[in-house]
Amino acid sequence: MENNVIEQVFGKDVFNDEVMQAKLPKDVYKSWKKTLESGADLDIEIANVVAHAMKEWALEHGATHYTHWFQPMTGVTAEKHDSFLSPASESKPVLEFSGKELIKGEPDASSFPSGGLRATFEARGYTAWDCTSPAFLQEDAAGVTLCIPTAFCSYTGEALDKKTPLLRSMEAISKQAVRIVKLFGMDDVKKVSCSVGPEQEYFLVDRDKYLQRKDLIFTGRTLFGASAPKGQELDDHYFGAIKERIASFMKDLNIELWKLGILSKTQHNEVAPAQHEMAPIFTTANISTDHNQLVMEIMKKVAKRHNLECLLHEKPFAGVNGSGKHNNWSIVTDTGVNLLDPGKKPHENKIFLLFLASIIKAVDENAELLRLSASNPGNDHRLGANEAPPAIISIFLGEQLEDVVEQIVRGDVSSSIQGSKLDTGVHVLPVLKKDATDRNRTSPFAFTGNKFEFRMLGSSMSIAGANFVLNTIVADTLQQFADELEKADDFNKAVKEVIKKNITEHQRVIFNGDGYSDEWVAEAEKRGLPNVKSMVEAVPYLVTDKTVELFERQNVLSKAELESRAEINYENYSKTINIEAKTMIDMAGKQFIPAVISYVTSLADSVNTVTAACAAADVSVQTELLTKCSSLLAKAQKALANLEKVTAEAAEKEEGQEQALFFKNTVFVAMEELRAPIDELEMIVDQDFWPVPSYGDLLFEV
Ligand code: ADP
Ligand code: MG
């Protein structure tokens, strides 16, 4: 019998544990595993043998090149390809790949953002093998390449990428969580890791139409566009039947992902027309981060095969939902215990409650940092805009845990609400057991059974940032708890006290109501919760004394590294808005204004021709349109001139915070002022004159 396609392709292009076991000498495999499990330094002898096996496997699969695959601060992945050809070879090719080449690479790093950490003349940057994430093969027109996941740092060891702080944060949280679980007698636990399952939203549009819009090409979002007559109001797209063209894209996508060992599990249509979602099964945070980068790249690649374009921007279309990424996160021991699993009786589960308290405290104390970790210029369109969680960080616990929390605060803990039966009233349907808690889709940070779901992330972002912040802030509260508990005389009493004290002190961050409502904004303000409205306003929190101390204490980022990241954030914001502004200037000046002039001229011609033919004819429609279009045209021209002026002014500002603020407060506003009259014109100008596909064409004709 023919095997199922998943069985045939799964992990085919990955140098995974199974392949290593088969290819490596037994003793090498064993010491390799030990290194991996203990997190100890890698022996070069072992690396040499692994490199050899990796090369042999890659060659068998047709690879000609290898690359250190890394994740610089641009947010996309980078690679520099070297062939396996050895320099020693003269007549006959010798294909070589040593342990040294496996563990260390040196791409010229001068053109990657470093936020001042490295002057361009000090170009050295190193990539170091992340041996915890398996190597894989990628095939494109250039052939097959062996990709080695790596971290990227400067000559002096500073992190220049998204991966390094993530790996450091995983060590930090492991160290502190192990201290805690040991206190509870779980002596066999040596390591604790964070599991992450990111749900990825995206749009698919027809590629021919996409190529007719410079805004989509240059910025990933539409900078102009009147709403289509239909939007998402009928809720008929959400979980709706998947169109055939999309289904065949999804089928291809799954196969490509499965080949790379990516556990693509769920797929469905999302809220907005042309919007979809893919969710993988969760895995360790760094692997999940690598996988999510691959998911985004492969979505784009596979889409093109179907003459589609995959839009990962957070807000490709105004007026319909944008795309986010839900980061499902939990803490699991190497013995397989999920420390965020409340069990049947959460009120009695001390270890769970202690971890819960540490998370509540960490989130409350570092809300601004979490908010920043979910910020990029695109996500500014979503957070707080009634489709994504508000910019206010709060925690949803659900009925059952909220009740336990109330009991803890009151000081008499005695019970946990249990899930009841769900009776549909139809006899042929089974009676289902209800979860103890319903879902709340409006919360930015929600407990969902045995994990937290951080829902603020933008669809195009690397998930590394959110996870290293989460790991680091929780590591820090766990450290404080461990310090206190290790010296307690009466451990049980001390645990109860730590839980009660911290939950009581940080209860204000818990909110189970509707996060989209105006009442919540007012209520949050009363509770003293921060409401940081934009990315640019969130950046300063990266370099406060409090943050620097916290990140240095946990050895995740140094002051210099944090400062560089703040600079990169400002730079990224300014550059993004600058490109958007310039694209608008280009489209308005070269496409929309000329199109409207042609239309207005045709109206004027019509008035002249009609009245010449019949002096008594009624040309009021043409005249009315002519007047209206001309007035909007003048408005657009004025707004265009203003946008040109302020964009030029922005270039003169001092780089960093000042420039970013100017882009946000002045240039962005001028962009909106240009968009308004043009969108209005789109509604009245004859569609034959309109130079780009409309929202209706893009969203409904896939
Ligand atoms: P929903 O859309 O209702 O949130 P999905 O099934 O789309 O649910 O997504 C749930 C995500 O959470 C999946 O990626 C899943 O792998 C992940 N997940 C489930 N359990 C855990 C866990 N313990 N730790 C981390 N992620 C998890
Ligand atoms: Mg979800």
Side-chain angles (χ1 to χ4, degrees):
M1 197 180 81
E2 175 97 327
N3 279 345
N4 178 285
V5 59
I6 303 188
E7 288 172 320
Q8 278 174 33
V9 302
F10 193 80
K12 180 172 139 328
D13 292 344
V14 189
F15 189 71
N16 54 23
D17 196 66
E18 204 181 310
V19 183
M20 290 182 101
Q21 206 165 348
K23 298 249 167 205
L24 293 174
K26 251 206 185 98
D27 54 327
V28 174
Y29 174 76
K30 259 200 197 145
S31 39
W32 152 260
K33 273 300 255 196
K34 228 166 121 195
T35 314
L36 212 62
E37 277 155 16
S38 66
D41 289 348
L42 185 71
D43 181 351
I44 186 73
E45 293 304 316
I46 304 278
N48 275 327
V49 183
V50 174
H52 178 76
M54 207 186 262
K55 180 197 75 180
E56 292 298 305
W57 172 81
L59 294 181
E60 275 165 30
H61 286 78
T64 51
H65 288 70
Y66 69 91
T67 180
H68 275 200
W69 184 78
F70 60 105
Q71 298 166 29
M73 297 299 296
T74 53
V76 293
T77 60
E79 45 202 81
K80 183 185 125 203
H81 297 197
D82 283 298
S83 80
F84 287 111
L85 210 54
S86 150
S89 50
E90 277 171 22
S91 53
K92 200 167 164 281
V94 177
L95 304 179
E96 268 177 6
F97 183 52
S98 67
K100 222 175 101 209
E101 287 166 305
L102 168 63
I103 60 179
K104 192 182 108 188
E106 196 195 333
D108 179 346
S110 53
S111 295
F112 292 112
S114 78
L117 266 186
R118 183 182 17 75
T120 23
F121 55 87
E122 297 164 343
R124 269 180 206 277
Y126 292 102
T127 47
W129 183 29
D130 170 14
C131 61
T132 56
S133 181
F136 57 91
L137 299 172
Q138 253 189 331
E139 187 173 0
D140 57 20
V144 180
T145 302
L146 169 69
C147 301
I148 300 151
T150 57
F152 179 46
C153 57
S154 74
Y155 185 63
T156 40
E158 278 124 352
L160 293 175
D161 68 347
K162 309 242 171 196
K163 188 89 176 262
T164 308
L166 177 64
L167 292 171
R168 291 180 189 158
S169 77
M170 288 166 70
E171 281 192 28
I173 195 168
S174 176
K175 186 169 157 199
Q176 302 307 333
V178 167
R179 285 177 68 195
I180 299 273
V181 299
K182 287 225 149 89
L183 288 168
F184 283 89
M186 293 164 76
D187 287 323
D188 45 345
V189 174
K190 290 195 189 61
K191 209 171 103 185
V192 162
S193 61
C194 294
S195 293
V196 173
E199 301 160 49
Q200 176 72 47
E201 292 181 338
Y202 60 98
F203 279 82
L204 287 175
V205 297
D206 182 80
R207 190 161 154 77
D208 291 337
K209 295 196 184 98
Y210 161 88
L211 288 172
Q212 291 170 49
R213 294 205 56 134
K214 290 190 202 170
D215 47 4
L216 286 179
I217 295 173
F218 294 135
T219 73
R221 75 177 179 106
T222 53
L223 299 167
F224 299 96
S227 294
K230 180 180 169 183
Q232 62 194 38
E233 58 278 68
L234 293 178
D235 290 326
D236 51 353
H237 187 70
Y238 191 48
F239 279 35
I242 298 171
K243 286 181 188 162
E244 208 156 301
R245 188 167 170 201
I246 304 301
S248 88
F249 158 86
M250 287 178 174
K251 181 179 164 203
D252 257 15
L253 174 69
N254 280 333
I255 291 176
E256 294 300 330
L257 297 178
W258 290 333
K259 278 198 220 163
L260 291 171
I262 298 171
L263 299 146
S264 173
K265 169 86 177 157
T266 313
Q267 61 205 25
H268 61 79
N269 287 349
E270 258 301 327
V271 175
Q275 191 185 28
H276 314 280
E277 180 184 293
M278 190 287 288
I281 296 173
F282 62 95
T283 178
T284 317
N286 64 322
I287 298 179
S288 194
T289 301
D290 288 357
H291 281 180
N292 185 249
Q293 292 301 125
L294 287 170
V295 164
M296 293 191 283
E297 283 168 21
I298 293 170
M299 278 179 167
K300 290 208 149 267
K301 194 160 110 182
V302 172
K304 289 192 178 68
R305 281 189 214 155
H306 294 260
N307 202 33
L308 293 164
E309 186 67 30
C310 173
L311 305 178
L312 292 169
H313 193 282
E314 284 72 19
K315 194 72 183 175
F317 303 98
V320 294
N321 264 29
S323 301
K325 189 133 57 186
H326 290 176
N327 190 79
N328 295 275
W329 173 90
S330 65
I331 317 174
V332 193
T333 67
D334 56 356
T335 52
V337 180
N338 178 357
L339 296 164
L340 298 188
D341 187 352
K344 287 219 163 58
K345 295 178 179 167
H347 69 285
E348 289 175 359
N349 190 342
K350 292 280 172 327
I351 189 158
F352 166 75
L353 291 175
L354 193 64
F355 274 88
L356 182 67
S358 81
I359 294 168
I360 293 173
K361 175 176 158 74
V363 171
D364 186 31
E365 286 180 344
N366 300 286
E368 298 95 340
L369 273 184
L370 276 174
R371 196 266 180 248
L372 177 65
S373 78
S375 300
N376 73 358
N379 224 14
D380 267 10
H381 298 278
R382 295 177 67 243
L383 298 180
N386 271 16
E387 59 170 79
I392 307 161
I393 301 267
S394 65
I395 300 180
F396 169 81
L397 287 181
E399 202 187 332
Q400 187 188 47
L401 288 187
E402 171 130 19
D403 176 59
V404 173
V405 160
E406 274 165 21
Q407 295 178 49
I408 291 171
V409 173
R410 272 202 318 267
D412 64 51
V413 188
S414 60
S415 62
S416 299
I417 300 172
Q418 297 300 320
S420 51
K421 296 262 187 298
L422 177 76
D423 192 350
T424 56
V426 180
H427 291 295
V428 289
L429 293 179
V431 175
L432 307 174
K433 201 163 168 285
K434 271 210 277 201
D435 290 307
T437 293
D438 199 2
R439 290 163 178 269
N440 177 329
R441 297 216 161 258
T442 66
S443 174
F445 200 82
F447 185 74
T448 47
N450 61 359
K451 60 186 189 291
F452 273 98
E453 183 170 356
F454 185 24
R455 300 211 181 101
M456 283 171 104
L457 281 66
S459 48
S460 71
M461 302 177 75
S462 157
I463 59 169
N467 284 298
F468 83 64
V469 168
L470 204 47
N471 293 347
T472 309
I473 62 177
V474 175
D476 205 58
T477 49
L478 288 175
Q479 177 171 18
Q480 293 166 37
F481 288 6
D483 287 349
E484 206 169 321
L485 294 173
E486 274 169 359
K487 56 174 198 263
D489 297 328
D490 182 342
F491 175 70
N492 282 327
K493 190 163 156 252
V495 170
K496 269 193 207 156
E497 276 169 15
V498 168
I499 294 172
K500 180 169 180 202
K501 175 169 174 282
N502 285 287
I503 287 188
T504 310
E505 274 176 22
H506 298 285
Q507 207 186 356
R508 64 171 192 165
V509 76
I510 301 171
F511 176 64
N512 284 348
D514 178 4
Y516 291 0
S517 68
D518 293 334
E519 292 78 47
W520 170 232
V521 177
E523 163 73 17
E525 196 180 336
K526 249 196 261 156
R527 294 190 191 185
L529 299 176
N531 184 0
V532 187
K533 299 220 167 62
S534 70
M535 167 177 174
V536 179
E537 288 158 282
V539 179
Y541 293 100
L542 204 51
V543 287
T544 58
D545 290 346
K546 186 178 129 194
T547 307
V548 171
E549 281 160 27
L550 165 62
F551 275 81
E552 291 198 333
R553 194 160 51 236
Q554 297 306 326
N555 293 318
V556 173
L557 287 171
S558 67
K559 183 160 193 250
E561 288 171 327
L562 286 162
E563 281 168 350
S564 84
R565 268 152 218 265
E567 281 315 302
I568 292 171
N569 268 301
Y570 287 132
E571 206 181 288
N572 173 258
Y573 184 84
S574 297
K575 284 182 175 164
T576 305
I577 306 298
N578 189 44
I579 294 170
E580 291 186 347
K582 281 177 19 197
T583 306
M584 287 188 91
I585 292 168
D586 186 277
M587 290 176 80
K590 292 196 198 140
Q591 295 188 291
F592 297 122
I593 292 178
V596 179
I597 292 175
S598 302
Y599 179 58
V600 168
T601 309
S602 83
L603 287 171
D605 288 348
S606 160
V607 173
N608 288 340
T609 318
V610 173
T611 36
C614 167
D618 182 352
V619 287
S620 60
V621 174
Q622 291 96 315
T623 321
E624 199 186 312
L625 276 171
L626 186 55
T627 321
K628 200 162 174 202
C629 286
S630 302
S631 129
L632 286 167
L633 185 62
K635 240 186 178 171
Q637 180 60 33
K638 207 171 139 220
L640 171 61
N642 182 49
L643 182 58
E644 283 175 312
K645 180 175 139 277
V646 295
T647 308
E649 273 171 42
E652 301 302 316
K653 299 281 167 201
E654 193 189 331
E655 281 179 18
Q657 188 177 30
E658 189 192 328
Q659 190 177 52
L661 278 170
F662 187 82
F663 270 108
K664 174 182 162 291
N665 295 331
T666 310
V667 178
F668 190 77
V669 176
M671 285 162 57
E672 297 287 289
E673 280 164 8
L674 173 57
R675 177 175 184 150
I678 301 230
D679 285 1
E680 221 178 305
L681 280 162
E682 186 182 347
M683 302 292 285
I684 43 181
V685 169
D686 179 344
Q687 66 178 17
D688 290 340
F689 284 80
W690 206 249
V692 299
S694 68
Y695 269 30
D697 299 334
L698 286 160
L699 289 168
F700 292 95
E701 293 179 19
V702 191

